[in-house]
């Protein structure tokens, strides 16, 4: 199976890094062909690096800056390249060390965030999940991606992470597509308990829960991949095979704008609870 192409945001970041490498080369007075010859590379490699077609390794950057007599720039360029690689993380790779570690890895981000915005078009957001619902999801992850089976430890880690909901000084805005309420995860009884838990969470003063009704006129608020925004510092979205982390201010602003559009068509309060109750009734 071939690896999926990286999202446009990552390609743009690679191209920006390539532009910096080109500028360093041009400032040194070298041609791309001369640099490749000095490095012992095929001449096409310089072009691929400068055009963002290939990600430079740490050693590529060290060689590039040494030949261009700009070694003082190597550390910053290496950090930039590593940051780009960290934007796109395949689930199989990150989950290979166990699902518990995945759950714990996001805790520092949650601890330092004060304003959370979550949009879910697939499942109930993790901070609002019950133990049984989480357990059912993680069992599916283990089955589909051959991840290590540390489900009970992972469930405990996700439940422990929910303490941020009650730690004070934080705001939470959740948007859920109505079809998420009607997608049976685990079993009908698991879903009923999960949906009742959702209704209980609507009473939390620091928490806003919006449900986007099926059949609503979407306007500019098209359904999309699930994503989250942490303050104005980071956004993350969930792809089928990988997770994408975005830290560029302009792209974070795009996610924030999308969230605002989606929030504008959501039902809140009694209207949201009516939609949840309807999903419960449908389960018998």
């Amino acid at each position: 199976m071939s690896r999926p192409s990286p999202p446009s945001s990552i390609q743009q970041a690679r191209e920006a890094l390539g532009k910096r490498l080109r500028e360093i080369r041009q400032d040194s007075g070298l041609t791309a062909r001369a640099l490749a010859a000095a490095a012992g590379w095929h001449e096409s490699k310089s072009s691929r690096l400068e055009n963002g077609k290939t990600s430079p390794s740490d050693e590529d950057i060290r060689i590039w800056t040494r030949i261009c007599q700009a070694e003082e720039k190597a550390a910053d360029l290496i950090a930039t390249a590593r940051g780009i690689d960290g934007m796109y993380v395949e689930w199989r790779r990150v989950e290979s060390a166990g699902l518990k570690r995945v759950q714990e890895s996001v805790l520092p981000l949650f601890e330092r965030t004060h304003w959370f915005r979550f949009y879910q078009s697939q499942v109930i957001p993790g901070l609002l999940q019950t133990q049984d619902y989480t357990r059912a999801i993680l069992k599916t992850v283990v089955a589909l991606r051959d991840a290590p089976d540390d489900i009970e430890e992972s469930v405990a880690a996700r439940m422990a992470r929910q303490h941020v909901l009650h730690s004070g000084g934080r705001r939470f805005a959740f948007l859920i597509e109505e079809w998420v309420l009607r997608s049976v995860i685990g079993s009908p009884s698991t879903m009923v308990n999960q949906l009742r838990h959702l209704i209980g969470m609507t009473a939390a003063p620091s928490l806003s829960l919006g449900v986007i009704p099926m059949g609503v006129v979407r306007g500019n608020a098209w359904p999309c991949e699930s994503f989250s925004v942490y303050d104005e510092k980071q956004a993350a979205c969930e792809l089928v095979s990988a997770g994408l982390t975005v830290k560029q201010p302009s792209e974070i602003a795009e996610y924030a704008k999308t969230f605002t559009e989606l929030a504008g068509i959501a039902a809140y309060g009694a209207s949201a609870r009516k939609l949840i109750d309807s999903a419960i009734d449908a389960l018998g």
Side-chain angles (χ1 to χ4, degrees):
M1 181 181 294
S2 61
R3 174 174 175 158
S5 300
S8 60
S9 56
I10 295 179
Q11 185 56 38
Q12 290 167 3
R14 286 177 177 168
E15 290 172 1
L17 176 59
K19 183 179 179 181
R20 290 180 64 186
L21 293 174
R22 183 185 302 113
E23 291 170 349
I24 290 171
R25 174 184 61 74
Q26 291 173 336
D27 288 344
S28 74
L30 292 171
T31 64
R33 178 175 295 179
L35 188 148
W41 299 336
H42 189 280
E43 63 183 62
S44 65
K45 180 170 180 175
S46 295
S47 176
R48 293 198 306 272
L49 291 173
E50 290 187 356
N51 289 290
K53 303 299 183 184
T54 301
S55 296
S57 66
D58 293 359
E59 186 61 19
D60 289 339
I61 292 173
R62 293 189 185 99
I63 292 172
W64 191 288
T65 54
R66 183 173 66 249
I67 292 172
C68 295
Q69 298 183 350
E71 291 175 279
E72 72 282 358
K73 297 179 181 179
D76 180 60
L77 291 168
I78 288 171
T80 298
R82 289 179 178 177
I84 294 171
D85 289 340
M87 290 172 65
Y88 185 78
V89 180
E90 289 178 273
W91 294 131
R92 286 185 183 272
R93 178 158 63 88
V94 74
E95 290 166 355
S96 64
L99 299 180
K100 179 185 176 184
R101 183 172 295 183
V102 176
Q103 301 301 317
E104 293 175 337
S105 67
V106 298
L107 186 57
L109 172 62
F110 279 43
E111 294 282 7
R112 65 176 178 263
T113 299
H114 293 89
W115 184 20
F116 297 78
R117 284 165 284 181
F118 296 93
Y119 166 71
Q120 262 294 350
S121 59
Q122 300 169 347
V123 297
I124 303 296
L127 286 178
L128 302 180
Q129 291 176 6
T130 63
Q131 289 190 38
D132 287 343
Y133 187 92
T134 293
R135 187 176 292 109
I137 287 176
L138 296 181
K139 283 182 177 178
T140 301
V141 170
V142 168
L144 291 180
R145 297 204 282 258
D146 298 321
D149 187 350
D150 58 349
I151 292 173
E152 293 308 316
E153 295 87 346
S154 303
V155 170
R158 178 169 289 189
M159 294 301 106
R161 198 170 69 199
Q162 293 180 359
H163 81 274
V164 297
L165 290 169
H166 314 290
S167 57
R170 292 182 170 90
R171 292 182 292 152
F172 301 87
F174 296 92
L175 294 175
I176 306 172
E177 296 283 352
E178 184 186 358
W179 60 72
V180 171
L181 308 178
R182 296 177 176 273
S183 298
V184 180
I185 303 294
S187 69
S189 62
T190 294
M191 280 305 302
V192 168
N193 291 332
Q194 173 62 73
L195 295 174
R196 287 174 177 163
H197 178 68
L198 267 188
I199 291 175
M201 294 302 295
T202 61
S206 62
L207 189 154
S208 168
L209 174 62
V211 179
I212 301 173
M214 294 187 294
V216 69
V217 176
R218 304 294 305 207
N220 293 329
W222 282 24
C224 59
E225 68 276 4
S226 299
F227 67 86
S228 49
V229 183
Y230 304 91
D231 292 324
E232 300 290 351
K233 298 178 181 178
Q234 181 172 318
C237 67
E238 303 170 14
L239 310 177
V240 171
S241 62
L244 174 65
T245 299
V246 173
K247 295 185 178 180
Q248 293 89 338
S250 62
E251 294 198 41
I252 294 172
E254 288 186 35
Y255 281 100
K257 180 180 179 182
T258 298
F259 190 90
T260 298
E261 294 284 355
L262 290 163
I265 62 170
Y268 297 88
S271 297
R273 289 191 290 273
K274 184 176 180 180
L275 292 171
I276 299 172
D277 281 332
S278 177
I280 293 173
D281 291 343
L283 290 166

